[in-house]
Amino acid sequence: MEEILIEEFNYPLPDERIAKYPLANRDQSKLLVYRDGQVSEDQFFHIGEYLAPGSLLIYNNTRVIQARLVFHKTTLNHSEPVCTNLNNSTQPLGARIEIFCLEPLEPHDYQLSLGATDGCTWKCMIGNAKKWKTGALSLPVLLPSGDTITLFAEKGEQTGNTFAVHFSWSPNYQLSTVNCQLNLSFAEILDAVGELPIPPYLNRKTEESDKTTYQTVYSRIKGSVAAPTAGLHFTDNVLDGLRQKGIQTAEVTLHVGAGTFQPVKVADANQHTMHTEIIAVPKETIQIIIANLGHIVAVGTTSMRTLESLYFLGAQLYALCSTPDTPHATLSVAQFEPYEREYTLTTQQALQAIVDYLDSTNQDVLHAETQIMIKPGYQFHVVDQLITNFHQPKSTLLLLVSAFVGGDWHTIYDYALAHDFRFLSYGDSSILFRRNPASKL
């Protein structure tokens, strides 16, 4: 595999160019337009002028959860009633332990785990883990009803720099108003006591306003620990205007993990290990894509990774149809699968193979995993236009952008730097037209 020197994807990004807060009106952000090597600029609320009638806009409907929990080191007998007073704690605060929930382990499904009412286990990063050797941590949780419960965390097996953490919760029996039969879900507990994990490069604490501004207007499926930030520019008015112009919309789900902020630390980007993310795509969305091939617009790199992964998932299922006795394994796209052989399937054939599989298994939604790495040399199969923000230097997202514009990323970023565009999650956006768009439909 040809070497990709990550240093060639570096550029100067002064801290003052990183947007620490969003604009008051999210659709007033600047929009860079790149087409056929030419760059111009506009404002985002004019995005419809750059989308042809009949285009299909596909966005990621994931919602960021309040995944950061702050405990203080105490050891409690889990079988005894908890006597923690939220206002005047009778126990001295110990070492601060920060738990960052990354993805569910048991139940493994996001919705089942977030909906659990009797405990769940998550893969977590732990800040100050050395101070937490044994014992359960406890955290009093004040609910909107005025009742309180206590959240417990028990540390399990370590894998690399993450841990399995089991969470459970029970009413605080010291408060007579508590109904001992409260069926609280883990999602409700996170909403009550968790902190929204804004990007580390903002170099500030989460504020109350982030709970709104760091969510897209169409977010609805909880599970991400980072927002699909290209979508932060959309407003209901912009979406209504697009529909009036005859532009369809459809949804996919990719729960964004902390790996999206993981820098490439090796000289050759091919040696970087991509994080795995879980995707869910309704059968209806796949059918709409088939009907609109050649006019697909991805909102953000997460939508892009999801849509391009569909081709390889379809290729796997198409091959399985040729060997019906082969059992179906977990559907997953490996990091370098797109580069390991030449694919002859058309995009329509691959996507239809997914629809046929869902029909044969009586499923309405495709659930799969993807570790796909889109880098220079990648052949695009599904996406024709990309709406995206401006990404960090030496990142896999910048590699993706470079692949999409035929290596011409410098033209885009040099223009953005020279014309006062705001960078990263709360910054401005761009709409990119794919270079050499001919593909096998």
Side-chain angles (χ1 to χ4, degrees), residues 308-327:
E308 291 297 318
S309 295
L310 291 178
Y311 177 84
F312 302 99
L313 294 168
Q316 293 174 19
L317 291 169
Y318 188 91
L320 286 172
C321 288
S322 302
T323 55
D325 294 333
T326 303

Side-chain angles (χ1 to χ4, degrees), residues 11-253:
Y11 68 92
L13 180 59
D15 184 67
E16 60 268 21
R17 302 304 299 274
I18 299 173
K20 301 300 193 295
Y21 295 90
L23 298 179
N25 297 312
R26 52 175 80 195
D27 62 8
Q28 299 292 313
S29 56
K30 294 177 73 172
L31 176 70
L32 182 147
V33 181
Y34 172 88
R35 176 163 37 191
D36 297 329
Q38 302 299 311
V39 178
S40 60
E41 65 178 89
D42 205 329
Q43 287 184 286
F44 190 82
F45 62 84
H46 289 145
I47 187 72
E49 296 181 11
Y50 303 97
L51 302 176
S55 295
L56 174 61
L57 191 79
I58 301 180
Y59 54 76
N60 184 1
N61 63 14
T62 188
R63 186 168 181 83
V64 185
I65 60 174
Q66 297 182 189
R68 183 175 284 121
L69 297 163
V70 177
F71 291 77
H72 285 85
K73 180 70 174 70
T74 56
T75 303
L76 298 176
N77 184 339
H78 202 153
S79 64
E80 294 179 357
V82 180
C83 299
T84 304
N85 186 303
L86 287 171
N87 298 315
N88 299 296
S89 175
T90 59
Q91 297 180 343
L93 292 177
R96 175 188 171 101
I97 309 294
E98 185 175 296
I99 300 177
F100 188 7
C101 300
L102 298 178
E103 63 181 75
L105 295 176
E106 182 59 41
H108 186 55
D109 178 84
Y110 275 88
Q111 301 313 305
L112 292 178
S113 193
L114 288 168
T117 58
D118 58 354
C120 54
T121 303
W122 281 63
K123 176 182 177 181
C124 300
M125 294 172 62
I126 300 177
N128 211 12
K130 291 182 179 179
K131 293 289 187 179
W132 184 15
K133 293 183 173 60
T134 59
L137 302 181
S138 66
L139 179 65
V141 180
L142 177 62
L143 303 172
S145 64
D147 294 325
T148 66
I149 64 164
T150 298
L151 176 66
F152 297 95
E154 298 173 79
K155 185 172 65 174
E157 182 179 353
Q158 180 176 0
T159 305
N161 64 345
T162 64
F163 297 81
V165 176
H166 180 71
F167 296 99
S168 58
W169 46 96
S170 63
N172 183 339
Y173 296 104
Q174 190 180 27
L175 298 179
S176 60
T177 59
V178 171
N179 178 355
C180 293
Q181 301 302 315
L182 286 176
N183 289 318
L184 286 168
S185 68
F186 189 53
E188 291 174 298
I189 292 170
L190 291 179
D191 285 344
V193 76
E195 181 180 294
L196 197 77
I198 60 174
Y201 48 66
L202 295 184
N203 292 318
R204 65 173 176 84
K205 293 184 178 180
T206 301
E207 300 179 13
E208 187 66 25
S209 60
D210 292 308
K211 293 182 180 179
T212 300
T213 59
Y214 198 58
Q215 303 280 12
T216 63
V217 295
Y218 45 71
S219 65
R220 63 185 186 86
I221 308 296
K222 292 182 178 182
S224 280
V225 300
T229 54
L232 296 180
H233 306 276
F234 284 90
T235 60
D236 290 330
N237 285 339
V238 168
L239 290 170
D240 287 343
L242 294 179
R243 295 185 186 106
Q244 290 172 15
K245 189 180 176 181
I247 294 168
Q248 299 181 78
T249 60
E251 301 180 359
V252 297
T253 305

Side-chain angles (χ1 to χ4, degrees), residues 312-375:
F312 302 99
L313 294 168
Q316 293 174 19
L317 291 169
Y318 188 91
L320 286 172
C321 288
S322 302
T323 55
D325 294 333
T326 303
H328 284 187
T330 300
L331 291 172
S332 178
V333 180
Q335 176 169 339
F336 294 118
E337 186 169 339
Y339 314 96
E340 291 175 345
R341 65 183 179 88
E342 184 174 348
Y343 290 84
T344 58
L345 277 185
T346 67
T347 302
Q348 182 169 343
Q349 286 174 320
L351 297 180
Q352 187 61 48
I354 298 176
V355 174
D356 294 343
Y357 163 74
L358 294 175
D359 284 340
S360 67
T361 54
N362 296 314
Q363 297 182 72
D364 293 323
V365 179
L366 175 74
H367 295 277
E369 296 179 349
T370 185
Q371 194 190 11
I372 192 171
M373 185 177 194
I374 298 177
K375 60 188 182 72

